Amino acid sequence: MANGSIRPDEVTDILRRELGDFDTEAEAYEAGTVLEAGDGIATLYGMSNAQASELVEFPEQDVEGMVLNLEEDSVGVILFGDVDAVSEGDEARRTGRIASVGVNENMLGRVIDPLGRPLDGEGPIEGEKTVLPLERKAPGVIYRQPVEEPLQTGIKAVDSMIPIGRGQRELVIGDRQTGKTAVLVDTIINQKQTHEAEGDNGDPVYCVYVAVGQKDSTVAQVQRDLERNGAMQHTVIINASASMPTPLQYIAPFAGACIGEYFRDTGRDSLVAYDDLSKQAVAYRELSLLLRRPPGREAYPGDIFYLHSRLLERAAKIIDDKEVAQQMNDLPEQLHDQVEGGGSLTALPVIETQAGDVSAYIPTNVISITDGQIYLETDLFNAGIRPAIDVGTSVSRVGGSAQVSAMKEVAGTLRIDLSQYRELEAFAKFGSDLDPSTQRQLNRGERLVEILKQDQFSPAAVEEQVAIIFAAINGYLDDIAVDDIGAFEEEFLERLRLQHDDVLAEIRETEELTEAAEEVFETVAEDLSEVYAEDDTEEQEDVLAGDAEEASMA
């Protein structure tokens, strides 16, 4: 036993070294097996402790999914990512995390997918994120307060007759190609002024535009329009385009609500535009049928109403009391220390109708959930009246509570005047002789319709809306040719800006219409209407002279 012998101390050192690196902790996880997969759905065997809306991972395929069905002996999962990568026999693991999205301030100005991943090619979203669950109960009535502060859209027809308040849910409904997205985009653009001058235009409004089932080119155009008009820096775009998996289209509006709630619960005002919920309903129907859920009316599942009601109920005006707001139900743990009172989330959902049928299943559902609707009509759109808002069927159930006092005063009779004009217009088409009173109403109605027309991307300040509606309602446009109304409006507002900017500023700051302001509007409107009326008279005389000359030559 000389040189070839093994020394005990060497063996001890080797064993001690090897055993020192030994990890005694075991990785515990609950796994399941894919029974079948396809069309963005996977049915798993096992995972009997899985929760609804829990995230499930497929480690070998690097794909995540969300539990949607909990059956007696299986679990139905919707897949995010490369849905074709998952196949029968693959392993799935529980994560223990409920489906959620990380939110922070750096998302503003970015285009993301419903899981919070950037799509605009500008790199990752930096900064620490607050993780918020996609599904969350709406705040209880104790934590809310009445909707009283206006959310100005910059659209004259909306702000004057269908006012929207911060914390309201206002549906935008109409057939395809009637300007629904244009209403949303203009409203978002108009919030730019709340960021420029906080004192005069209310607190800043942070916007989220959720595109569901749209073409990528359409979403890119919306992004360009917002950038061109300086509104992208206070907006987040969530894109779940038609080319993305159906599960992402289903969760996109919930992701938008999460981001809106982040701003709402931290004491700020937010606006979430869902464009559109018809396509989300179709995506949910597809997933439900693939998961073998029983179909109901129009093959939608029985809980399709609940899908939209639990989403839109999350819009709210939170009580302006920090202590009470911090006790809000279902408040995520990460958000608790950041909570401030007084924030709001305003929802503008879009629903597409077929041939103007508002009595179909999804439209009636969402109409009954929301606090009013802006109905866009194809005939008006084709007649060149844009925005093509049908005054008769559009309504805001918050109404004057969320309207500037000055606007309430001047636009009080506007809706009824327009409704009467529509009825008389239909009657006048029969060609019967009209009495002078009816003729006056028709003339006034024509001019009211004309001043409510508005180009896209040109939101009007509320004080300027008050001024032109005051002039129209009080008859200063009655003697002006309909073709000249646009030019009159432009010159009228330009004179006010140059010569009476202090009057406009006073209305903007106090939201009241004083007698002095009325006198200024009357003077400017009277002077200008005389100029335009004289021009019209001269044109008519020239036409009559020309006709007489032709007659004498004949």
Side-chain angles (χ1 to χ4, degrees):
M1 302 284 298
N3 296 332
S5 63
I6 299 173
R7 288 164 47 195
D9 54 335
E10 284 183 358
V11 174
T12 307
D13 286 344
I14 292 167
L15 287 173
R16 188 177 286 120
R17 194 163 55 246
E18 292 296 325
L19 291 171
D21 296 334
F22 180 68
D23 187 4
T24 56
E25 289 184 17
E27 186 186 356
Y29 57 84
E30 192 175 336
T33 307
V34 178
L35 293 177
E36 56 178 333
D39 298 313
I41 297 291
T43 305
L44 311 180
Y45 176 75
M47 295 205 300
S48 55
N49 295 318
Q51 308 171 69
S53 297
E54 183 181 348
L55 282 178
V56 172
E57 62 180 3
F58 299 83
E60 292 177 18
Q61 291 74 29
D62 195 25
V63 173
E64 282 192 323
M66 184 179 86
V67 175
L68 205 62
N69 256 26
L70 293 171
E71 314 252 347
E72 197 173 343
D73 54 357
S74 64
V75 174
V77 173
I78 57 174
L79 303 174
F80 309 135
D82 185 4
V83 295
D84 296 324
V86 178
S87 56
E88 185 183 343
D90 289 342
E91 184 190 56
R93 297 180 186 178
R94 282 187 63 196
T95 63
R97 302 193 319 270
I98 298 298
S100 51
V101 62
V103 187
N104 68 12
E105 310 284 334
N106 297 329
M107 281 185 163
L108 293 168
R110 302 297 300 269
V111 182
I112 60 173
D113 74 358
L115 298 173
R117 300 174 298 203
L119 296 173
D120 50 14
E122 294 182 18
I125 296 168
E126 303 292 343
E128 190 180 339
K129 293 178 182 172
T130 303
V131 179
L132 303 177
L134 291 175
E135 294 270 12
R136 179 179 161 194
K137 281 185 184 174
V141 70
I142 301 296
Y143 311 106
R144 298 175 181 239
Q145 66 183 36
V147 173
E148 290 173 339
E149 191 181 353
L151 182 125
Q152 300 294 345
T153 64
I155 301 168
K156 287 177 281 187
V158 175
D159 291 341
S160 60
M161 294 180 290
I162 320 151
I164 299 171
R166 297 189 182 192
Q168 188 177 341
R169 302 157 300 173
E170 184 78 8
L171 170 63
V172 181
I173 185 169
D175 286 5
R176 63 187 301 275
Q177 299 293 315
T178 50
K180 299 185 296 297
T181 301
V183 169
L184 303 183
V185 171
D186 279 359
T187 303
I188 291 171
I189 289 171
N190 195 52
Q191 304 320 306
K192 180 178 74 166
Q193 39 122 7
T194 66
H195 292 261
E196 290 172 348
E198 293 184 23
D200 291 349
N201 299 296
D203 296 326
V205 178
Y206 298 89
C207 305
V208 184
Y209 176 80
V210 183
V212 183
Q214 310 282 343
K215 291 186 291 187
D216 281 319
S217 58
T218 306
V219 181
Q221 183 62 52
V222 168
Q223 184 188 357
R224 279 196 296 273
D225 292 338
L226 292 176
E227 284 173 348
R228 200 177 296 125
N229 291 281
M232 192 62 202
Q233 54 203 290
H234 64 260
T235 306
V236 183
I237 294 179
I238 298 179
N239 182 18
S241 66
S243 60
M244 286 189 182
T246 308
L248 290 178
Q249 295 178 41
Y250 159 64
I251 67 163
F254 294 106
C258 275
I259 297 172
E261 283 173 332
Y262 171 75
F263 291 108
R264 181 198 72 189
D265 293 342
T266 51
R268 293 170 285 180
D269 294 309
S270 62
L271 166 71
V272 184
Y274 304 103
D275 192 10
D276 68 60
L277 293 188
S278 304
K279 293 187 176 70
Q280 188 209 16
V282 168
Y284 186 54
R285 175 172 63 183
E286 183 183 325
L287 295 174
S288 297
L289 292 171
L290 288 165
L291 287 166
R292 308 268 195 287
R293 291 185 177 181
R297 179 176 163 189
E298 292 181 28
Y300 287 106
D303 64 341
I304 191 73
F305 182 93
Y306 182 55
L307 169 76
H308 289 148
S309 68
R310 73 179 189 262
L311 171 70
L312 295 173
E313 282 295 334
R314 290 161 76 171
K317 172 70 176 172
I318 300 300
I319 192 166
D320 196 6
D321 184 322
K322 183 175 178 178
E323 285 185 29
V324 177
Q326 283 182 327
Q327 299 169 40
M328 201 188 311
N329 57 288
D330 264 42
L331 193 63
E333 190 120 347
Q334 280 199 335
L335 202 56
H336 190 272
D337 294 336
Q338 304 176 51
V339 170
E340 299 285 341
S344 72
L345 193 165
T346 308
L348 291 182
V350 172
I351 289 290
E352 185 181 297
T353 53
Q354 305 293 326
D357 183 16
V358 293
S359 63
Y361 190 26
I362 302 302
T364 49
N365 278 357
V366 183
I367 285 170
S368 64
I369 292 163
T370 49
D371 307 311
Q373 67 273 350
I374 297 168
Y375 180 54
L376 301 170
E377 200 177 45
T378 308
D379 292 343
L380 293 175
F381 187 86
N382 293 337
I385 298 169
R386 297 172 191 176
I389 295 171
D390 182 353
V391 179
T393 49
S394 299
V395 67
S396 169
R397 297 190 186 102
V398 171
S401 305
Q403 195 169 28
V404 171
S405 300
M407 181 65 85
K408 201 187 302 186
E409 195 176 321
V410 298
T413 62
L414 184 58
R415 176 190 287 275
I416 198 161
D417 287 347
L418 279 170
S419 298
Q420 287 174 344
Y421 164 68
R422 293 270 176 241
E423 283 188 27
L424 288 171
E425 186 188 30
F427 177 71
K429 284 177 181 171
F430 292 114
S432 55
D433 292 334
L434 302 171
D435 61 272
S437 163
T438 307
Q439 193 63 58
R440 272 197 304 276
Q441 262 190 309
L442 281 168
N443 289 343
R444 174 76 57 86
E446 273 185 285
R447 284 149 184 78
L448 290 176
V449 167
E450 206 62 32
I451 62 149
L452 292 177
K453 287 183 182 177
Q454 201 168 339
D455 291 334
Q456 200 178 348
F457 315 129
S458 56
V462 67
E463 62 274 13
E464 294 182 359
Q465 294 182 38
V466 168
I468 189 63
I469 291 171
F470 176 88
I473 287 289
N474 289 286
Y476 293 106
L477 279 61
D478 289 0
D479 296 329
I480 300 171
V482 172
D483 292 343
D484 292 335
I485 296 294
F488 172 89
E489 180 183 354
E490 208 171 302
E491 196 170 336
F492 174 67
L493 294 175
E494 191 59 36
R495 282 195 186 189
L496 288 175
R497 290 186 203 114
L498 292 173
Q499 299 169 12
H500 305 284
D501 190 47
D502 55 326
V503 175
L504 295 177
E506 186 187 0
I507 294 172
R508 184 168 61 246
E509 288 164 19
T510 65
E511 299 184 352
E512 301 286 343
L513 184 63
T514 61
E515 285 185 16
E518 286 185 11
E519 285 173 16
V520 168
F521 292 164
E522 285 169 2
T523 306
V524 175
E526 209 169 311
D527 293 348
L528 201 55
S529 61
E530 284 175 9
V531 172
Y532 275 84
E534 283 172 14
D535 290 347
D536 290 340
T537 307
E538 286 174 13
E539 281 180 26
Q540 286 173 2
E541 286 174 358
D542 291 345
V543 170
L544 290 171
D547 289 347
E549 194 177 329
E550 284 178 18
S552 63
M553 288 174 67

